[in-house]
Amino acid sequence: MENDHTARSRAKTVILILGIMLVAANLRAALTGLGPLVGAIRSQTHLSNTITGMLTTLPLLAFAILSPLTPKITRRLGMELTLMVSLVLLTIGILVRSAPSIPTLFIGTFIIGLAIAVGNVLLPSLVKRDFPDQVGPMTGAYSVSMNVFGALASGISIPLSVEAGLGWRGSLGSWALLAGLAVLCWLPQLRYRHVTKVYEREGSIWRSALAWQVTLFMGLQSLMFYINATWLPEILHERGMSIASSGWMLSAMQFVSLPISFVVPVLAARQTNQKGIVVATVIFHLAGYLGLLFGPAALTWLWMICIGIAVGASISLALAFFGLRTHNARQAAELSGMAQSIGYLLAAIGPILFGFLHDITETWFFSLMILVIASILLLIVGLGAGRNVYLSSNGQRKAPVAVHEAQI
């Protein structure tokens, strides 16, 4: 009997981990697959760089709108059902985006953003709840899954469009298969419904200096990532690289980030503070962007490696902060919702401003300087977010709040 119970418990954990990995796999693929196709979309739809940048900005606006509401929705529906609804919505959004119409291109993109916002907010909270002693390794594992499929989407979007003959719409629509697979694998979790009841009123995290530092760290690294995903292929193409090769260069940058995105949360969880990791991350950001600005084109691969290391470190560290700076799953969800709301609102400015500056200056110099400035700001807020303190309404260390997890 005990062995049977242990086997069932292990099977339940394995199924949960598989579900988490597949949810994470869908948090970037539908967005990063867009970047290499921007040129084809612009030429066929005759949209300007500024308007085309909205295809990246719309999901970020959706993140900003829905992220602070997600914890409230979750308290009503339960985490498992909320994630299932988001996965179904993601599948629908991908299919709408690939329909033969310019309005549906933007409508579907916004729906995709709403769906991904839920997963962005809830995965750190889910890890904090179900794996409280393995926050670092689990955050690293799902960061790897997110980055693997994000990188794969960047690399195969052009081959799917051109070699496979799907066109850019078919290439974008193909990611509905991955979302559908996640729906199927998450179905077993609907047998459980966890509702968090808090017996002690907490102060608002919006008054916490630490929460704002984590939020700005999340926003700045997101701003840089989505600028990279949208415009780096175009920058490299204008410098003489084929559009297919530039797409694979973006993919390679993300593959470089994979081991880093796993190792950094593990290291962060073992250290009393994460300031050293923040400094190292920013050094790689600056090396990559300054290399693109002033370095020889022959070393483009080196600059992309530096950016890849920085991207992997910054996103995984931002996600780890949600667990490392909080006491419980409810706090992690609240911090994640705040950080991803304000953070992605900040990030939404990036792709449009980046394209707008290129449109009016006809050079990428001023656009790339945005990334240099963002790197410096990332260092400033990261040193604050990396302190060994916990979240409270006034930013000071606080004893854990009494929390009860009810399973229905």
Side-chain angles (χ1 to χ4, degrees):
M1 287 289 293
E2 186 174 347
N3 288 338
D4 289 343
H5 176 74
T6 301
R8 285 196 298 270
S9 179
R10 288 178 179 173
K12 175 183 172 182
T13 300
V14 169
I15 292 171
L16 174 59
I17 292 174
L18 177 61
I20 290 173
M21 295 303 108
L22 280 169
V23 171
N26 280 279
L27 296 184
R28 276 193 177 172
L31 302 180
T32 58
L34 175 69
L37 297 170
V38 163
I41 294 172
R42 191 179 60 240
S43 64
Q44 290 189 22
T45 59
H46 306 292
L47 298 173
S48 68
N49 280 329
T50 304
I51 298 299
T52 304
M54 283 294 295
L55 292 174
T56 300
T57 300
L58 276 175
L60 303 182
L61 292 175
F63 294 170
I65 292 169
L66 192 57
S67 292
L69 301 177
T70 297
K72 296 179 177 64
I73 296 170
T74 303
R75 286 196 289 273
R76 289 182 175 273
L77 300 182
M79 195 175 297
E80 292 76 12
L81 180 57
T82 304
L83 280 168
M84 173 58 78
V85 172
S86 74
L87 290 171
V88 172
L89 189 64
L90 176 62
T91 308
I92 293 171
I94 292 172
L95 294 175
V96 169
R97 182 178 65 173
S98 62
S101 162
I102 292 180
T104 56
L105 174 64
F106 289 91
I107 293 170
T109 297
F110 188 72
I111 293 173
I112 289 169
L114 293 174
I116 292 177
V118 175
N120 281 338
V121 171
L122 291 187
L123 277 194
S125 178
L126 184 64
V127 167
K128 183 72 174 180
R129 186 195 72 187
D130 292 342
F131 304 93
D133 298 323
Q134 294 88 33
V135 169
M138 283 300 300
T139 300
Y142 87 70
S143 295
V144 168
S145 177
M146 182 173 66
N147 290 329
V148 163
F149 284 91
L152 184 64
S154 297
I156 69 173
S157 58
I158 294 296
L160 285 175
S161 174
V162 179
E163 280 83 357
L166 298 179
W168 63 264
R169 295 187 187 277
S171 179
L172 291 177
S174 65
W175 296 103
L177 296 175
L178 180 63
L181 178 61
V183 169
L184 294 177
C185 290
W186 193 253
L187 280 173
Q189 303 308 319
L190 295 185
R191 292 179 295 176
Y192 314 103
R193 184 183 173 207
H194 293 81
V195 180
T196 303
K197 298 179 181 178
V198 181
Y199 295 113
E200 178 184 333
R201 184 178 296 275
E202 292 183 285
S204 171
I205 65 170
W206 293 81
R207 295 196 298 267
S208 168
L210 176 61
W212 278 102
Q213 288 162 343
V214 172
T215 294
L216 291 174
F217 188 90
M218 183 71 190
L220 288 167
Q221 68 81 26
S222 297
L223 179 145
M224 289 188 282
F225 173 79
Y226 285 103
I227 286 176
N228 293 338
T230 305
W231 294 115
L232 280 185
E234 284 292 294
I235 293 173
L236 299 180
H237 180 53
E238 283 197 14
R239 293 186 175 184
M241 189 176 291
S242 71
I243 191 63
S245 296
S246 64
W248 277 112
M249 189 66 73
L250 179 64
S251 181
M253 180 200 79
Q254 294 179 79
F255 276 117
V256 168
S257 74
L258 297 182
I260 304 301
S261 62
F262 178 78
V263 170
V264 164
V266 175
L267 291 177
R270 292 178 178 177
Q271 296 179 358
T272 56
N273 69 73
Q274 293 76 42
K275 293 181 181 180
I277 298 176
V278 170
V279 172
T281 298
V282 172
I283 288 173
F284 278 104
H285 269 302
L286 289 173
Y289 299 132
L290 291 174
L292 287 177
L293 274 168
F294 305 111
L299 293 180
T300 296
W301 60 272
L302 178 59
W303 317 136
M304 298 300 285
I305 287 175
C306 289
I307 295 171
I309 292 172
V311 164
S314 55
I315 179 58
S316 58
L317 185 57
L319 295 173
F321 279 151
F322 300 149
L324 295 174
R325 299 284 86 91
T326 57
H327 294 290
N328 52 62
R330 180 184 182 275
Q331 251 189 358
E334 294 288 346
L335 179 58
S336 179
M338 173 186 172
Q340 300 200 54
S341 172
I342 302 300
Y344 282 122
L345 188 60
L346 173 62
I349 301 170
I352 291 181
L353 180 59
F354 206 84
F356 174 73
L357 284 176
H358 179 265
D359 282 344
I360 64 175
T361 65
E362 298 184 353
T363 175
W364 292 111
F365 176 83
F366 296 102
S367 297
L368 286 169
M369 283 303 298
I370 293 175
L371 296 171
V372 174
I373 294 170
S375 299
I376 296 171
L377 295 175
L378 189 73
L379 174 64
I380 296 171
V381 298
L383 291 176
R387 294 174 297 147
N388 185 27
V389 294
Y390 294 95
L391 183 67
S392 70
S393 59
N394 59 11
Q396 303 300 316
R397 187 183 299 274
K398 183 179 178 182
V401 176
V403 172
H404 173 67
E405 291 282 357
Q407 178 175 309
I408 300 174

